[in-house]
Amino acid sequence: MATEFTGTGDPARSMALLWRSAAPPAGPRRGPKAGLDVDRIVAAAVALADAEGLAALSMRRVAAGLGVAPMTLYTHVPGKGELVDLMLDSVLGELYPDPPAGGWRARLTAVARANWDLFVRHPWALHVATGRPPLGPNLMAKYEHELRAVDGLGLTELQMDLVLTLVNGFVRGTVSGVQEKAEAERATGVTDDQWWAATEPYLAAVFDPGRFPTAARVGPVAGAELQATYDPRRSFDFGLEVLLDGVARLVRVSGPGS
């Protein structure tokens, strides 16, 4: 799937649009275009990316979905770069309707699961590289909420930021497996079960347990338990607990009285 980069448009225009501080287009607006605005354009772009992925995203395709001429979009959004920034910030607004609750472990678990669910709903968001993040209201609200999940634990400000980077990076890495499995089936027309059924006789003929004794011991147990070579959700659940155990140690070392 194609990768898009945030920050490829005009930063000033992106920021004005993200915070809706840009002045509305001047001049008369008549007919079916009168209801067109930035929010409608972004919603149409998100719907297109949800259905077909980032590779399908273009100003022309978004305009077609809205039933307007492509040039009409440019009176509201300068180009695709700014549109991607707006799309990402828009879906981030789905996160955290409520303030963080419970102990720090419950709060961080909620953060991880909310991000997982967001990427499952909007798989294209995994393919938006955010080295230059769109500093819109929803991204800032996300950061504020997640910081509060680890506030008051005795961590330094840098440690708080790094813990969140660790959790969010872990989520992105594991949830990508969900998309990879779906894309593999779509691209090949073959399910995991069908692929294994076709491969198994050949593997049985060539696999030498004496040469790969550890794999011979572990592989069948894991395969029987997971019913797959890789189960992204199980990896997420297991890895999150291990990650939080590491954070717990950091909290013990850094917390009050340590």
Side-chain angles (χ1 to χ4, degrees):
M1 181 176 286
T3 297
E4 294 287 344
F5 292 85
T6 57
T8 61
D10 180 341
R13 294 297 301 277
S14 282
M15 288 296 287
L17 286 165
L18 284 164
W19 292 91
R20 299 299 193 269
S21 58
R29 300 171 64 196
R30 301 183 298 272
K33 301 174 188 176
L36 191 64
D37 58 20
V38 172
D39 290 334
R40 280 193 64 201
I41 292 169
V42 172
V46 169
L48 174 61
D50 285 348
E52 301 184 39
L54 281 178
L57 182 69
S58 69
M59 299 293 276
R60 183 175 297 277
R61 286 292 308 277
V62 174
L66 290 166
V68 301
M71 289 306 297
T72 307
L73 266 59
Y74 291 99
T75 64
H76 300 276
V77 179
K80 185 177 177 181
E82 293 85 358
L83 181 58
V84 169
D85 289 349
L86 289 163
M87 290 167 62
L88 184 60
D89 195 71
S90 174
V91 299
L92 292 180
E94 299 172 14
L95 290 166
Y96 315 129
D98 302 310
W104 72 263
R105 193 169 184 123
R107 298 195 300 266
L108 269 186
T109 297
V111 164
R113 295 194 186 284
N115 279 276
W116 171 284
D117 292 342
L118 180 78
F119 286 125
V120 170
R121 288 194 303 274
H122 304 291
W124 57 268
L126 274 174
H127 299 277
V128 178
T130 56
R132 297 175 179 177
L135 300 176
N138 292 323
L139 176 63
M140 297 307 296
K142 175 184 189 297
Y143 188 48
E144 174 70 19
H145 180 102
E146 293 175 354
L147 283 172
R148 291 181 183 180
V150 292
D151 197 17
L153 304 181
L155 302 179
T156 68
E157 284 77 9
L158 178 58
Q159 287 173 328
M160 290 167 64
D161 183 87
L162 288 174
V163 166
L164 295 183
T165 300
L166 177 64
V167 171
N168 283 308
F170 166 74
V171 173
R172 289 182 71 100
T174 51
V175 77
S176 65
V178 175
Q179 192 175 88
E180 288 171 3
K181 287 169 71 72
E183 288 180 357
E185 183 169 333
R186 184 165 51 249
T188 64
V190 176
T191 67
D192 277 359
D193 289 343
Q194 291 169 332
W195 185 84
W196 273 111
T199 305
E200 190 172 14
Y202 297 95
L203 182 62
V206 300
F207 185 76
D208 179 4
R211 184 179 178 187
F212 309 109
T214 311
R217 187 181 82 249
V218 174
V221 175
E225 175 67 22
L226 301 177
Q227 294 298 302
T229 53
Y230 176 55
D231 181 342
R233 186 72 203 211
R234 286 285 292 271
S235 294
F236 170 77
D237 290 338
F238 175 80
L240 181 59
E241 290 302 311
V242 174
L243 186 155
L244 294 179
D245 287 344
V247 175
R249 182 181 182 280
L250 178 64
V251 170
R252 287 195 300 272
V253 170
S254 306
S258 61

